[in-house]
Amino acid sequence: MTGLDASATEALRQAAQAGTAPIETCAPEAAQQDYLQGFAATQLPLEDVAEASEVWADGIRLKIWRGQGASQTAAPALLYLHGGGWVIGAPETHEDICRALANRVGAVVISPDYRLAPAHPFPAALSDCAAVLRHIVARSQSFGIDPARIVVGGDSAGGNLAAVLALLARDGEVPPVLAQLLIYPVTDQRQNSDSYHRYAEGFGLTAKAMAWFRDHYGAAATDWRASPLLAASLQGAAPAFVVLAGHDVLYDDGAAYAARLATEATAALQVWPGQIHGFVSMGRVIPQAAEALTAIAAAWRELDPGFGRPPS
């Protein structure tokens, strides 16, 4: 692995200068407030989209962005699940990613405000995301999306939820999905891979923070619905595009999951070797965020054969 990129070093310097307490020393409610108040500092201004709205589905708040050029009927769609260790975050904390992908693909992006732990431990977040997938498929016409062109995606804990949803879709427990877009996903809650030692401290997301998130989530580490790397088989899973940061405690587990997907299903992997966890949401400081968003959008288009068909 190459050295840390200068932009990642600057992002870490700014984070240290902000003086926020280590998350593992915080109560969950305080950690959420710190995150909500501070996330925008590293993000670029939000892109304008054709339409932004908010609806409620079975008690779950959904944020919806229709990208520039997206069809008003039967558009491709992404169910985007935000990161934050299942304990912090909201659709708004990852709105930069959602708007950018909606515009770059000409699609609709839907992000649910799923329930957070520890007030709502595992499997509450997963249950909410599954319910939302069922909802948008059943009411696809009202969302103006094509139910056969729904992709699931997310970053970190959201990438974990997306990966598990894709397996549930394979098993027929939720509607089918076309593809999965996984950004530095959590894939193994045992947290014992070598990258947990290599990057345990000093690279943003720490090993102690990941243990804090896992403990609050409350899932058994060997339950594949929390650790999809431990699923007996990935055969039949939707094709995947996986983005990883080289200096990340999650790197080895993410790479192992991408390798299994490539062997047992279909997957492509792209690594930013000099980057840190969360870099795709740090566009104000890290130029490679824009590169990653462009790569994710291109992968989405490649995974959706509908983009190769002429308009009806």
Side-chain angles (χ1 to χ4, degrees), residues 104-194:
R104 282 161 176 71
V105 177
V108 173
V109 178
I110 301 169
S111 186
D113 192 11
Y114 58 81
R115 288 173 294 170
L116 299 175
H120 303 285
F122 174 86
L126 180 60
S127 296
D128 285 357
C129 295
V132 170
L133 177 56
R134 295 185 187 101
H135 181 92
I136 64 175
V137 168
R139 296 164 179 78
S140 58
Q141 189 170 3
S142 65
F143 284 95
I145 62 175
D146 184 342
R149 298 178 70 189
I150 295 175
V151 172
V152 292
D155 62 287
S156 195
N160 168 277
L161 292 167
V164 175
L165 269 190
L167 293 176
L168 293 175
R170 174 202 63 184
D171 295 341
E173 295 187 34
V174 296
V177 297
L178 184 66
Q180 47 183 324
L181 306 173
L182 309 179
I183 306 172
Y184 27 78
V186 181
T187 63
D188 190 346
Q189 298 279 28
R190 294 175 300 177
Q191 302 183 0
N192 58 10
S193 62
D194 188 57

Side-chain angles (χ1 to χ4, degrees), residues 20-23 26-39 88:
T20 304
I23 197 166
C26 298
E29 298 81 3
Q32 171 74 325
Q33 286 307 308
D34 285 346
Y35 190 39
L36 294 178
Q37 291 169 11
F39 75 88
I88 62 176

Side-chain angles (χ1 to χ4, degrees), residues 8-25:
T9 300
E10 175 60 17
L12 292 170
R13 187 195 67 80
Q14 291 185 19
Q17 192 174 44
T20 304
I23 197 166
E24 66 270 16
T25 67

Side-chain angles (χ1 to χ4, degrees), residues 41 72 98 100 139 238 306:
Q72 290 294 317
C98 294
R139 296 164 179 78

